[in-house]
Amino acid sequence: MTKIPLIISTDPGIDDIAAMTISLFAEKLDVKMIVPTWGNVALKYTLQNTLNLEKFLNTKVPIVVGANQPLVRPAISAASVHGKTGIAGYEFEKADTSLIEKGLAATKMHEVIQKSTQKVTLMGIGPLTDFALLFKQYPKDLEKIQEVVIMGANIGHGNHSPFAEYNIAGDPEAASVVFDSGLPIKVAPLEIGDKAHVTQDQMAKIKSQGQVGEMLYAMFSHIKEPDGDPRIKIYDPTAVGILLKPEMYTFKKARVDIELAGKFTAGASAMDFISDKSNAEIAVDVDTQEFADWFVDSVKKADQGRK
């Protein structure tokens, strides 16, 4: 089986930890590099969280330090949801910095893309700052990128503001660069994460999946949704699901433009599903039961692969 070469941009964050864990042990994926960026919490935390996760999982994927702030705007934070360090609920053993490759994220991603014998897939599960810098600094790399898979954006109302989803609102200018890149883009929007939840019974199954399951159970149990919803919503892993099991989703083509100037709508994702100039495929529905079964099974495989 030919594996998909993958670069992950991430801001862990609890659901990012789950998405990376699944990706690192997925048979169909060959994770070439992880680029922690600012996002849910500050870069110093997202970087250490990524290092700590790899130590816990016994993996050795290179890590490159990403952006510490958006392209233009002040950074925002989701520490109220994920905890001060981004991963409330579980205490990892602190890792050293040996997996960090020195250099700018855009340049190191460029090197991976140019060396690859296959087109590389990019997965963005945080603000898209580093992908935007890559596209601007190395525009010829676009020819060697298979697609971009994003967890972010929103069809209706947002979770950062009434009209904006957090990952896009964090760096709207970067998101605009990515959506205007001309690359094939698949999007797992906020609404899919809202629907792709797991029940308490399913969480119990996750907890029973060895140390990986216990780790994820502990963290997801500490998520505090701003709207008070008691369901365990699974956001960033929906992007991994698009890569590994796209048949779980229903997709529709849309033209996505990012609002940059609105007083009340900055960061909003304007999705036009009737445009003849589509630039993305949007997951508009997901089989909730199939997703939950896949998620539990993926955690089991990760725990088995870690040993």
Side-chain angles (χ1 to χ4, degrees):
M1 178 180 64
T2 301
K3 293 189 174 186
I4 299 170
L6 181 67
I7 295 174
I8 301 174
S9 175
T10 180
D11 61 336
I14 292 169
D15 49 343
D16 301 75
I17 292 288
M20 284 192 288
T21 298
I22 293 170
S23 299
L24 287 165
F25 293 101
E27 293 179 358
K28 290 173 62 176
L29 302 179
D30 178 11
V31 182
K32 296 292 189 181
M33 178 173 290
I34 300 173
V35 183
T37 183
W38 78 278
N40 283 315
V41 289
L43 176 62
K44 66 178 181 178
Y45 296 122
T46 62
L47 173 60
Q48 191 62 55
N49 292 345
T50 305
L51 290 165
N52 293 351
L53 177 67
E54 286 223 65
K55 179 180 178 66
F56 173 81
L57 296 175
N58 299 320
T59 55
K60 302 292 182 183
V61 172
I63 295 170
V64 176
V65 181
N68 68 356
Q69 59 186 327
L71 294 179
V72 177
R73 301 168 190 247
I76 60 178
S77 173
S80 62
V81 176
H82 294 266
K84 179 182 177 180
T85 66
I87 51 172
Y90 190 83
E91 193 70 33
F92 284 104
E93 182 181 349
K94 188 173 182 179
D96 61 29
T97 59
S98 59
L99 289 181
I100 296 178
E101 288 197 359
K102 294 182 179 180
L104 295 173
T107 299
K108 301 305 290 187
M109 288 189 286
H110 160 72
E111 291 173 358
V112 169
I113 290 166
Q114 288 302 314
K115 288 178 183 177
S116 178
T117 57
Q118 299 171 245
K119 287 189 174 184
V120 174
T121 293
L122 307 181
M123 184 171 73
I125 52 177
L128 299 172
T129 311
D130 287 301
F131 288 166
L133 291 168
L134 169 68
F135 296 172
K136 286 296 187 181
Q137 190 166 0
Y138 299 101
K140 290 186 178 179
D141 283 3
L142 297 177
E143 300 172 0
K144 297 197 68 177
I145 295 171
Q146 183 68 34
E147 64 178 348
V148 184
V149 178
I150 296 167
M151 188 279 121
N154 53 299
I155 300 170
H157 278 222
N159 63 346
H160 173 69
S161 72
F163 299 102
E165 180 275 331
Y166 186 87
N167 285 345
I168 302 301
D171 198 339
E173 284 77 14
S176 184
V177 168
V178 172
F179 278 103
D180 289 343
S181 66
L183 287 169
I185 297 174
K186 291 188 177 73
V187 180
L190 180 65
E191 288 79 1
I192 291 298
D194 287 339
K195 187 169 184 180
H197 67 278
V198 294
T199 65
Q200 291 300 326
D201 286 345
Q202 290 160 340
M203 284 299 297
K205 290 182 181 179
I206 289 169
K207 187 179 181 180
S208 70
Q209 305 305 322
Q211 290 185 323
V212 171
E214 291 173 0
M215 175 266 290
L216 292 174
Y217 176 87
M219 286 195 289
F220 274 105
S221 296
H222 277 74
I223 287 182
K224 297 177 181 178
E225 293 291 348
D227 60 2
D229 193 328
R231 297 178 304 161
I232 307 297
K233 300 174 185 177
I234 309 294
Y235 290 101
D236 289 337
T238 59
V240 189
I242 286 177
L243 286 170
L244 298 178
K245 202 169 184 182
E247 62 271 19
M248 295 188 293
Y249 304 90
T250 300
F251 292 93
K252 287 186 178 180
K253 292 182 178 181
R255 172 74 198 181
V256 181
D257 291 293
I258 307 301
E259 176 59 63
L260 304 178
K263 180 178 179 180
F264 301 107
T265 58
S269 312
M271 294 190 182
D272 183 353
F273 289 96
I274 61 174
S275 172
D276 60 358
K277 297 180 180 179
S278 62
N279 60 354
E281 291 184 71
I282 312 298
V284 296
D285 199 7
V286 61
D287 185 317
T288 305
Q289 184 61 54
E290 189 174 4
F291 178 87
D293 291 343
W294 167 80
F295 186 72
V296 174
D297 185 60
S298 296
V299 174
K300 179 181 180 180
K301 288 179 179 177
D303 189 70
Q304 292 172 341
R306 173 181 178 267
K307 296 174 181 177

